Amino acid sequence: MSHRRAWTLASSVAGAVIVALDGTVLTVAQPTLQHGLGATFAQVQWTSTGYLIAVAGLLVFSGRLGDRYGHQRLFAIGMLGFGAASAGIGLAPGIGWVIGLRVVQGVFGALLQPATLGMLRAAYPPDRLRMPIAVRTGAIGLAAAAGPVLGGALVAGPGWRAVFFLNVVPALVFGLLALTMRGPRPQPSPARLDVPGAMLLAVTLACLVHVLAGLPDHGWTAVSGAGLVLAVLSGAAFVRHERRTTSPLVPADVVGSTAVRSALGMLVAASAALHGALFVATFLLQDTLGYDPLHMALLGLPLAALMILAAPGSALLLHRIGARSTTVTAMTVLSAGILVLGRGSGAVALCSGFALLGAGFGTVMVAATHVVVRRAAVGSAGVAGGLQQTALNVGPALGVALATTLLGPGQRYGPALWVLALVAGVGAVAGRALPKRSAQTINPRREGDQVEVPARR
């Protein structure tokens, strides 16, 4: 591996891990943060919701900015801004400052996340993308597993402010390195930036995420209904605009591919099924089966372990049996894990269910991401990365909202888990649109690719 590729992979992993850690450790710190700043429960919720809305609304446009001005440049700005916002939150005097800075952090997170995939697409030829994406996914799984433990230790020791200082140094170091290192120059593009399309998409996704994030606590209200209507109207306007404009925000070479659309749908379905199932399992294990939070966390360790192990395994499966067989099998495993959780009561059965969830989701995440990124031209890699990240941000909110609706006041765990397993099953059906092992359909030649030798999948 060349020095350039090694640095690119390290930067991509660092960016993904910093974002993943930030989300997991914040969840642990929120109760202490609320007490320390004298905040209400609704205000504390906005420390997560504000961030999610900012990220979801800007991911695709940020990816397009990376395609136009360089992913390394956007990565540097995103990392430096994310680190500075983290430091500001750690020093914030009140909850209003925390919420505002979390929105700012979300803006820089949106700049950062598509760039981590765009840099990989520019640095590696298509037939060598499997393992870098697997390494990145495995690191995300490790961060998700370590986050609650690390966050708990920091909150119990220095306090909740230390949670936000955690990412400051690595963000600043990698951001400064990205500014100083000479990277590949982006290809000049005669197309203008689609600002109207970006604004319509931002409104659509921001309204959708806001509605979904509020359903678990507030249910359907007049405000959430109005938000959903606005999301539908702005989404329809976005589609109409994209079909008519000469410089669309999402180019046809990205969304025109059936395989890419299928892979994005699978990412939404897989993340919705996983997070919805985990939401239901939290209440099932604690309220019905009587496990305390620590015992439940221990039972859930196989999920993180299998997700980490599944990442390199998925890269090998992609090479041997192709994207279609890999993703369909993985979605089936994910669905089976949800059903096992619904029927299990003993430790062995529950651990088995969590293990199946981790194995299925980890494999789908690598395989579907690989399809989305490698099938995009180098000049559209940022948009592809933004769409992938958008799917992984919308999916969890959709899954938790669906789980909340299905549970209802009667806490109907069984039906809720059956429906979530069905969601994963629908994702498996969508996976049948992915390519087989044919080199001609999987590794098409695109302008800007570093190699033109067909490869097996």
Side-chain angles (χ1 to χ4, degrees):
M1 183 185 294
S2 68
H3 174 73
R4 162 64 55 188
R5 288 180 182 170
W7 180 86
T8 299
L9 178 57
S11 298
S12 179
V13 168
V17 166
I18 282 174
V19 172
L21 269 178
D22 179 80
T24 54
V25 298
L26 173 64
T27 303
V28 178
Q30 280 178 328
T32 308
L33 182 153
Q34 178 183 1
H35 178 74
L37 295 179
T40 65
F41 181 71
Q43 288 175 321
V44 171
Q45 281 184 308
W46 269 100
T47 63
S48 296
T49 304
Y51 176 89
L52 286 175
I53 290 174
V55 167
L58 295 173
L59 278 169
V60 178
F61 185 61
S62 297
R64 174 50 81 198
L65 289 176
D67 292 330
R68 189 179 181 95
Y69 300 110
H71 298 298
Q72 186 172 314
R73 183 179 300 175
L74 267 291
F75 174 82
I77 295 172
M79 288 290 268
L80 292 173
F82 198 92
S86 297
I89 296 171
L91 298 171
I95 189 63
W97 280 94
V98 173
I99 295 172
L101 286 170
R102 280 288 288 171
V103 174
V104 172
Q105 195 179 42
V107 172
F108 286 108
L111 295 175
L112 161 66
Q113 293 182 60
T116 63
L117 289 171
M119 291 192 303
L120 288 182
R121 178 64 180 89
Y124 288 85
D127 63 322
R128 296 187 181 180
L129 273 171
R130 289 183 296 267
M131 195 52 70
I133 290 175
V135 171
R136 180 180 179 275
T137 302
I140 292 173
L142 183 60
V149 178
L150 185 57
L154 290 173
V155 170
W160 67 266
R161 296 181 185 273
V163 166
F164 294 99
F165 290 127
L166 178 65
N167 289 327
V168 173
V169 172
L172 296 182
V173 167
F174 277 94
L176 291 173
L177 283 175
L179 282 181
T180 57
M181 292 189 68
R182 180 177 299 176
R185 292 184 178 180
Q187 295 290 333
S189 173
R192 61 180 178 81
L193 287 174
D194 183 15
V195 177
M199 294 177 64
L200 287 170
L201 183 60
V203 171
T204 301
L205 293 173
C207 289
L208 181 61
V209 170
H210 180 261
V211 170
L212 294 175
L215 284 180
D217 296 299
H218 308 295
W220 285 103
T221 64
V223 174
S224 60
L228 185 60
V229 170
L230 181 57
V232 171
L233 292 176
S234 58
F238 170 74
V239 172
R240 183 173 182 270
H241 169 80
E242 291 293 286
R243 288 177 176 175
R244 295 188 172 194
T245 185
T246 56
S247 302
L249 174 65
V250 183
D253 68 334
V254 178
V255 294
S257 166
T258 302
V260 171
R261 292 197 300 268
S262 175
L264 291 171
M266 293 186 79
L267 287 171
V268 172
S271 56
L274 173 71
H275 288 270
L278 293 178
F279 180 84
V280 175
T282 300
F283 293 96
L284 172 63
L285 268 65
Q286 294 189 35
D287 294 347
T288 301
L289 300 180
Y291 290 100
D292 59 61
L294 176 60
H295 198 175
M296 179 183 166
L298 294 175
L299 290 173
L301 286 178
L303 189 154
L306 266 294
M307 183 176 170
I308 295 168
L309 293 174
S314 180
L316 295 176
L317 289 173
L318 280 170
H319 178 70
R320 293 183 179 275
I321 65 175
R324 179 185 299 182
S325 297
T326 299
T327 52
V328 170
T329 302
M331 290 297 285
T332 304
V333 170
L334 176 61
S335 180
I338 296 172
L339 294 177
V340 170
L341 278 182
R343 297 180 63 87
S345 57
V348 174
L350 292 170
C351 284
S352 299
F354 282 120
L356 290 172
L357 290 182
F361 183 75
T363 303
V364 170
M365 189 170 173
V366 173
T369 299
H370 181 253
V371 171
V372 172
V373 175
R374 80 169 292 169
R375 290 186 70 86
V378 173
S380 301
V383 171
L387 289 171
Q388 186 264 2
Q389 292 292 320
T390 300
L392 291 176
N393 277 274
V394 172
L398 177 62
V400 173
L402 179 61
T404 303
T405 303
L406 292 169
L407 279 175
Q411 301 289 290
R412 299 183 297 270
Y413 303 115
L417 291 173
W418 272 100
V419 173
L420 291 166
L422 180 62
V423 171
V426 171
V429 174
R432 297 190 61 81
L434 295 184
K436 296 182 179 179
R437 293 173 60 191
S438 167
Q440 182 179 0
T441 60
I442 292 172
N443 192 24
R445 297 183 180 186
R446 293 186 181 275
E447 183 179 354
D449 286 351
Q450 298 186 16
V451 294
E452 297 185 350
V453 180
R456 292 170 58 205
R457 291 262 307 257

